[in-house]
Amino acid sequence: MLIVTSMKLFILAALFGFSLAQHNPNFKHGRTSIVQLFEWRWVDIAAECERFLGPKGFGGIQISPPAEHIVLTSPWHPWWQRYQPIGYKLCSRSGSEDELKDMITRCNNVGVNIYADAVINHMCGASGGAGTHSACGSWFNASKKDFPSVPYSSWDFNDKKCKTGSGEIEDYGDIFQVRDCRLVSLLDLAVEKDYVRSKLAEYMNKLIDMGVAGFRVDACKHMWPGDLENIYHRLHNLSTAWFPSGSRPLVYQEVIDLGGEAISANEYVRLGRVTEFKYGAKLGTVFRKWDGEKLFYTRNWGEGWGFMSDGHAVVFIDNHDNQRGHGAGGASIITFWDSKLHKMAVGYMLAHPYGVARVMSSYRWNRHIENGKDKNDWMGPPSYGNGTTKPVPVNPDQTCGDGWVCEHRWRQITNMVIFRNVVNGQPHSNWWDNQSNQVAFGRGDRGFIVFNNDDWDLDVTLNTGMPGGTYCDVISGQKEGGRCTGKQIQVGDDGHAHFRISNTEEDPFVAIHAESKL
């Protein structure tokens, strides 16, 4: 049986060009979750790995794009300047190449992987001007498509291939426009050219050799799968300083597909994992109780809801785009602005076995809603007057200050990251629901979680499937020094426990796991 299974895997790997390996996040020490530290400086990430992420069992960090980017002052240093590269030097708003290398080393040393956000579809906007207004001071001329620090010239862009009069994507139903024309005026690279592919692979390989574990690849819908496959095949194996010999970089590709799109996420799953945008959009609708949705409908959550297969998905409640109303999901997306629902939705994601989970860690901005749109969604991270990013200060209560939200440090979310580690590999089991918005489920005999998203109290005895004993609820508190700082849950020898959750509680859910037992 083992020989047959191994042969099947070998044939599959051969068919898919060994790309199956690029679905593996290469987590260390039984870790299971990624956190997106959006716009953090490298020095702050290094410190966070050592003081918090490593000890708390986080598996990896998605960092903001590390390549040299344009510097914009109208609007003032917006977050999206990071997504407009002018070259591949490793200096950015987050810091220098030396600081980046130090951060990668220090995070790897405490078991936390680094996944770089790779912007390889395009360079900066066509109206980006000329000069040295870039993160490292490298000269470029956007109007002439001249980027000497790479170098790229007008030969390396898709303008002649694009068939629209404006050179922009005008019809998202036309796959040729989507992949060969400019996305919101960003200069579209000719990724089919061997020279361009070689420069992109060279940039990504430099990061791999420094110790990154993989990449979130931006705007993959706007590139042909065959071109991406060629680039991914050029990538080095991971550094043997921290990873087993022969390990391939994780690739997870941004493909926005809510269904009914001309380009499907399924076109990319053979190359690596893909961001499952339907996940946060649907779960947000469920927790908001919109469109008649109820939490008990999630009994078959995952592939049963029309999502891509489990082994291909990276899942998330929100990301840097859709928490601002961009990307996908619209108003259903639940963010830190709605903290009660956000903790519940993230808790559900981390308790459920589907996909590789990514938690968002944000910063606040001055929201200004007009006609349903946020006029200030462009605002960059907390900054000094000259536009440089502020450090992330940690308060005595372990939250962050100075505008940094740090959802990953919220007790409820941190403890659910630990829960996911403890129950890893265990089946979804012991489902219960009240035919409405109260549900519970277990993960084998290692964990159990109960949600009350109804407008009335939950009061019920359930089969947890767990060994008898006293457990600390890791939502209202945790186990510390042989006692519970929050609720205690008594599980009988028959695996049953009584749960009482008021709908008025700050966090109307309860979670216990094998390591929270007294």
Side-chain angles (χ1 to χ4, degrees):
M1 181 64 189
L2 185 63
I3 294 169
V4 172
T5 304
S6 299
M7 184 59 71
K8 282 181 179 174
L9 282 172
F10 179 80
I11 292 167
L12 278 170
L15 285 171
F16 293 143
F18 293 95
S19 63
L20 286 176
Q22 293 179 171
H23 294 70
N24 181 358
N26 303 294
F27 288 132
K28 307 182 188 93
H29 318 307
R31 297 161 187 257
T32 56
S33 302
I34 298 170
V35 57
Q36 181 181 358
L37 296 183
F38 184 52
E39 286 280 14
W40 281 45
R41 304 182 315 156
W42 309 144
V43 293
D44 292 314
I45 295 177
E48 188 73 348
C49 280
E50 292 169 342
R51 71 192 171 203
F52 191 83
L53 298 174
K56 295 295 185 183
F58 283 78
I61 302 163
Q62 179 181 311
I63 61 171
S64 292
E68 185 175 16
H69 53 83
I70 197 168
V71 172
L72 300 167
T73 53
S74 181
W76 184 256
H77 298 278
W79 64 266
W80 34 261
Q81 70 181 20
R82 297 293 293 270
Y83 291 84
Q84 296 196 31
I86 62 92
Y88 303 127
K89 291 180 181 176
L90 296 175
C91 56
S92 66
R93 179 173 194 148
S94 289
S96 68
E97 180 174 336
D98 285 344
E99 288 167 334
L100 174 66
K101 188 171 186 178
D102 178 65
M103 177 268 285
I104 293 169
T105 298
R106 288 165 61 186
C107 290
N108 274 319
N109 285 345
V110 293
V112 182
N113 294 346
I114 299 297
Y115 308 97
D117 200 344
V119 183
I120 63 175
N121 170 67
H122 56 262
M123 299 301 277
C124 69
S127 60
T132 56
H133 41 286
S134 57
C136 309
S138 296
W139 188 90
F140 67 98
N141 187 331
S143 62
K144 292 188 174 179
K145 306 181 197 72
D146 186 12
F147 298 93
S149 71
V150 180
Y152 288 143
S153 70
S154 59
W155 292 99
D156 301 313
F157 293 87
N158 265 335
D159 292 338
K160 290 187 173 68
K161 201 175 179 188
C162 175
K163 298 296 190 279
T164 65
S166 64
E168 303 280 324
I169 302 168
E170 296 172 2
D171 176 9
Y172 271 80
D174 181 338
I175 63 171
F176 294 95
Q177 285 189 35
V178 173
R179 288 168 169 159
D180 295 337
C181 299
R182 294 178 186 174
L183 168 66
V184 291
S185 297
L186 298 166
L187 294 170
D188 198 63
L189 282 165
V191 185
E192 67 184 22
K193 287 193 166 188
D194 189 72
Y195 174 74
V196 174
R197 292 169 172 177
S198 71
K199 299 312 286 187
L200 295 171
E202 180 183 301
Y203 161 59
M204 295 169 79
N205 279 330
K206 183 169 184 179
L207 289 163
I208 291 170
D209 294 347
M210 288 169 76
V212 305
F215 303 92
R216 179 257 188 194
V217 184
D218 184 63
C220 286
K221 179 194 288 190
H222 302 282
M223 293 175 278
W224 294 92
D227 294 340
L228 288 170
E229 183 173 27
N230 183 288
I231 293 166
Y232 300 161
H233 273 307
R234 299 175 187 232
L235 299 181
H236 296 169
N237 290 340
L238 299 185
S239 169
T240 54
W242 295 289
F243 301 98
S245 178
S247 299
R248 296 295 293 156
L250 170 69
V251 172
Y252 57 104
Q253 304 159 103
E254 186 209 21
V255 182
I256 299 173
D257 176 10
L258 294 180
E261 306 267 345
I263 293 170
S264 164
N266 288 329
E267 297 176 50
Y268 295 84
V269 294
R270 67 186 178 84
L271 306 178
R273 287 187 180 258
V274 178
T275 49
E276 180 51 277
F277 275 87
K278 290 196 277 287
Y279 192 100
K282 295 280 191 187
L283 200 58
T285 301
V286 168
F287 271 100
R288 293 187 188 280
K289 297 184 276 196
W290 289 356
D291 303 336
E293 294 285 10
K294 297 182 189 298
L295 194 52
F296 92 94
Y297 295 161
T298 63
R299 181 172 190 149
N300 65 337
W301 186 243
E303 293 163 15
W305 277 60
F307 302 162
M308 69 186 74
S309 64
D310 171 35
H312 293 142
V314 168
V315 299
F316 49 98
I317 301 305
D318 60 331
N319 75 349
H320 64 281
D321 272 319
N322 62 18
Q323 70 174 194
R324 291 166 170 77
H326 303 283
S332 74
I333 299 301
I334 299 174
T335 71
F336 68 88
W337 296 110
D338 196 345
S339 61
K340 181 175 181 175
L341 282 183
H342 188 73
K343 286 179 280 187
M344 291 178 76
V346 173
Y348 190 102
M349 172 183 75
L350 292 170
H352 198 280
Y354 175 82
V356 168
R358 182 183 66 196
V359 172
M360 183 66 193
S361 193
S362 317
Y363 60 82
R364 286 180 182 82
W365 65 94
N366 299 324
R367 292 173 100 190
H368 179 62
I369 309 295
E370 280 184 25
N371 301 319
K373 295 283 187 184
D374 188 346
K375 297 291 187 182
N376 284 339
D377 62 5
W378 58 269
M379 294 182 75
S383 303
Y384 296 111
N386 64 359
T388 57
T389 304
K390 286 184 176 180
V392 181
V394 178
N395 299 321
D397 66 357
Q398 297 304 299
T399 60
C400 298
D402 227 349
W404 297 96
V405 181
C406 297
E407 298 97 309
H408 69 283
R409 276 180 166 265
W410 295 358
R411 179 191 68 244
Q412 302 85 345
I413 290 177
T414 303
N415 286 349
M416 285 308 300
V417 167
I418 295 168
F419 179 105
R420 191 175 184 85
N421 292 344
V422 172
V423 304
N424 187 32
Q426 295 293 311
H428 188 261
S429 58
N430 294 303
W431 174 272
W432 170 87
D433 66 66
N434 72 337
Q435 301 280 294
S436 185
N437 291 294
Q438 297 176 359
V439 307
F441 60 87
R443 295 293 301 280
D445 62 355
R446 296 281 290 170
F448 194 74
I449 192 163
V450 188
F451 292 89
N452 179 13
N453 198 36
D454 272 324
D455 297 326
W456 56 87
D457 291 354
L458 176 150
D459 193 347
V460 68
T461 297
L462 300 173
N463 178 21
T464 68
M466 297 182 69
T470 304
Y471 293 81
C472 298
D473 168 36
V474 298
I475 304 304
S476 60
Q478 56 208 11
K479 185 172 92 172
E480 280 181 15
R483 68 180 187 91
C484 300
T485 62
K487 295 178 185 176
Q488 284 190 7
I489 304 296
Q490 190 67 41
V491 177
D493 291 339
D494 62 355
H496 285 70
H498 188 77
F499 296 91
R500 185 180 287 112
I501 305 174
S502 168
N503 64 300
T504 61
E505 291 181 32
E506 178 190 352
D507 300 307
F509 65 116
V510 167
I512 58 175
H513 59 72
E515 291 180 15
S516 77
K517 186 178 181 182
L518 291 181

